[in-house]
Amino acid sequence: MLWRSKFPFVKNASSLAESELSEVRSELNCSESLSFYRNGTYLESNSSIAIIGTNEVYHVDQFLQDDSGIFVCEKEAWFDLYDIRVMSTIVTFTISVTCLIVAFLIHICTKTFHSTHDRCMMSFSVALFLAQTASLVPHITSNFCKANAILLHYLWLCVFNWTSVMAFDLAYTFSVCRISVLRSNVSKAFFKKYSLFGWLLPLAIVLVCVLLDLFDPSVEFGYGSKGHCWITNKTAVYISTTTPVVICLIFNFICIGVSVFGIEQLKKRSLEVQKNKKDSTRCTIYLQISVMLGVTWVLAFIVIAFPYLWLQVTHNIINGCQGVYVLAMTLKHPKVVKGVSRRFQKYKLSYSKTKSTTVSTLAINKLNTTLSYRHSV
């Protein structure tokens, strides 16, 4: 439906006078919030449109199209619990966050976070935990939603950035110093540098984006606009999110390729095969994480282009499997297995000693009671 009007090119429908919007409200029979989406922030498919970033679909009788964009009547709610896309996100992210919490507790209880690899894995898990938790936060107010969109932009970039840090650390192991003793001496120094890069580089990217959005009239990222806590401008998504993600994934696969080559070279030396078995396991883990994240985001961009319901639900389910995978890798960690086994043996021994002491005490008390009775008789 093409509805041409006298309305100028505007950033938001709320900037127009109520008298000018009355005709639009009447056409849409709208008593809720009236929003305006600029050209380039939505996709047209047959007689319906889909909003980029949120994948909200509106049919022909639910929007009016102007020369510069579309008017949509939408109800601002925290969560539409009747939408299977929303429910799949809530359920899968809740499961993922719960698994990450369990993984944190296991690492803390077994004290398996002293090596550079373990610390990098913990940092990646923290970034993933915060990103998925922030994704579950309800849309309370427009300002809150905008702040949450900026936070989500930063956290998801951190998730990918930490995968690149881990991949680089593994490649560095084979390219510079392959002796684990030498690496252990500078483990803390490496991790400090990794932390600065892992957390501050995404911050710099997001800071530039936010400043451009605030002070450059020609740039609009659309953080949290229309009550959707993400970047709503299609071009901005490609520049500020897609480009860094693609760079990270390419870098990861290059580093993992270098690592695989190094592993194969070391396998030719039979004396060093056992010594580098852990590095081979790390390589497999990083490859699986990169592939999983890569598939998730490739599928996300496919969903933007083809907003079919089954694609969106599939993307949400795969996206929610990340925390489950981290927990599975934590449970397979050799130190975790040994730590849990050691604690179990300790508790078992303590229980046996307590039980033995209790039985001995009862036997002595019984003997004393018998002797006292005989003595009294």
Side-chain angles (χ1 to χ4, degrees):
M1 177 188 296
L2 180 62
W3 184 76
R4 303 192 177 276
S5 73
K6 61 182 180 180
F7 298 141
F9 185 69
V10 294
K11 182 176 181 179
N12 193 299
S14 60
S15 63
L16 298 177
E18 184 63 32
S19 58
E20 295 179 300
L21 295 176
S22 59
E23 185 181 350
V24 182
R25 291 183 181 276
S26 177
E27 283 282 336
L28 293 175
N29 192 22
C30 180
S31 59
E32 304 292 342
S33 174
L34 184 65
S35 295
F36 179 80
Y37 292 91
R38 302 172 66 173
N39 290 331
T41 62
Y42 61 90
L43 299 173
E44 298 184 54
S45 177
N46 296 328
S47 58
S48 61
I49 56 99
I51 307 301
I52 296 174
T54 66
N55 297 319
E56 291 288 341
V57 177
Y58 296 95
H59 300 290
V60 66
D61 58 338
Q62 296 176 312
F63 68 91
L64 292 175
Q65 191 170 16
D66 184 62
D67 291 336
S68 54
I70 58 170
F71 290 90
V72 173
C73 181
E74 55 185 355
K75 181 179 180 181
E76 293 188 12
W78 283 12
F79 287 127
D80 183 3
L81 298 180
Y82 295 99
D83 191 335
I84 189 173
R85 297 165 299 181
V86 176
M87 283 302 300
S88 61
T89 300
I90 294 174
V91 172
T92 55
F93 273 31
T94 301
I95 294 173
S96 180
V97 167
T98 303
C99 289
L100 288 170
I101 292 174
V102 174
F104 294 150
L105 294 176
I106 291 174
H107 277 294
I108 292 172
C109 293
T110 56
K111 298 180 180 180
T112 53
F113 49 87
H114 297 295
S115 67
T116 303
H117 159 66
D118 293 330
R119 290 176 179 176
C120 289
M121 195 68 182
M122 282 284 285
S123 298
F124 164 77
S125 301
V126 168
L128 181 62
F129 170 79
L130 294 175
Q132 293 186 338
T133 302
S135 299
L136 292 172
V137 175
H139 310 164
I140 300 175
T141 64
S142 58
N143 289 332
F144 178 85
C145 188
K146 183 174 183 177
N148 195 32
I150 296 172
L151 178 63
L152 281 170
H153 186 198
Y154 167 69
L155 291 174
W156 282 115
L157 289 181
C158 285
V159 170
F160 280 91
N161 205 37
W162 271 107
T163 62
S164 296
V165 169
M166 294 188 293
F168 172 80
D169 180 67
L170 186 61
Y172 181 83
T173 301
F174 294 100
S175 61
V176 180
C177 62
R178 299 178 179 178
I179 304 175
S180 58
V181 176
L182 179 60
R183 281 188 53 76
S184 64
N185 292 334
V186 292
S187 176
K188 292 183 179 179
F190 271 120
F191 182 70
K192 288 180 181 179
K193 295 178 181 178
Y194 289 159
S195 295
L196 291 175
F197 182 82
W199 297 110
L200 295 184
L201 180 61
L203 180 62
I205 294 174
V206 174
L207 187 61
V208 170
C209 294
V210 172
L211 291 177
L212 288 174
D213 187 51
L214 290 175
F215 300 108
D216 192 339
S218 63
V219 177
E220 182 188 356
F221 282 81
Y223 283 113
S225 63
K226 291 83 180 178
H228 303 299
C229 301
W230 186 238
I231 304 171
T232 56
N233 186 294
K234 180 179 178 181
T235 305
V237 171
Y238 290 149
I239 294 175
S240 64
T241 304
T242 307
T243 302
V245 166
V246 170
I247 292 173
C248 284
L249 290 175
I250 294 174
F251 179 79
N252 291 357
F253 290 124
I254 292 175
C255 289
I256 291 171
V258 171
S259 304
V260 171
F261 177 78
I263 290 172
E264 293 301 321
Q265 291 296 314
L266 291 175
K267 280 184 177 180
K268 296 178 181 179
R269 308 173 189 178
S270 57
L271 295 178
E272 298 185 18
V273 172
Q274 284 297 112
K275 188 179 294 184
N276 291 278
K277 187 176 180 181
K278 292 181 180 179
D279 292 320
S280 179
T281 302
R282 287 169 57 196
C283 184
T284 303
I285 292 173
Y286 296 164
L287 178 61
Q288 291 172 346
I289 290 175
S290 296
V291 169
M292 181 175 59
L293 289 172
V295 168
T296 300
W297 281 79
V298 168
L299 189 57
F301 296 125
I302 293 176
V303 168
I304 291 176
F306 306 98
Y308 299 115
L309 181 61
W310 66 272
L311 272 177
Q312 296 174 37
V313 174
T314 302
H315 167 259
N316 293 340
I317 293 173
I318 295 176
N319 205 18
C321 290
Q322 296 167 5
V324 179
Y325 176 79
V326 171
L327 177 59
M329 291 300 100
T330 301
L331 294 175
K332 289 174 62 178
H333 196 295
K335 292 182 180 179
V336 169
V337 175
K338 290 180 181 179
V340 172
S341 177
R342 192 184 305 114
R343 285 182 176 273
F344 178 75
Q345 292 295 334
K346 181 180 178 181
Y347 291 142
K348 185 178 179 180
L349 181 61
S350 176
Y351 176 76
S352 299
K353 288 182 178 180
T354 303
K355 186 177 180 180
S356 177
T357 303
T358 303
V359 171
S360 299
T361 304
L362 290 174
I364 293 172
N365 291 337
K366 186 177 181 179
L367 180 60
N368 290 335
T369 303
T370 302
L371 291 175
S372 298
Y373 175 75
R374 289 179 178 178
H375 179 73
S376 61
V377 172

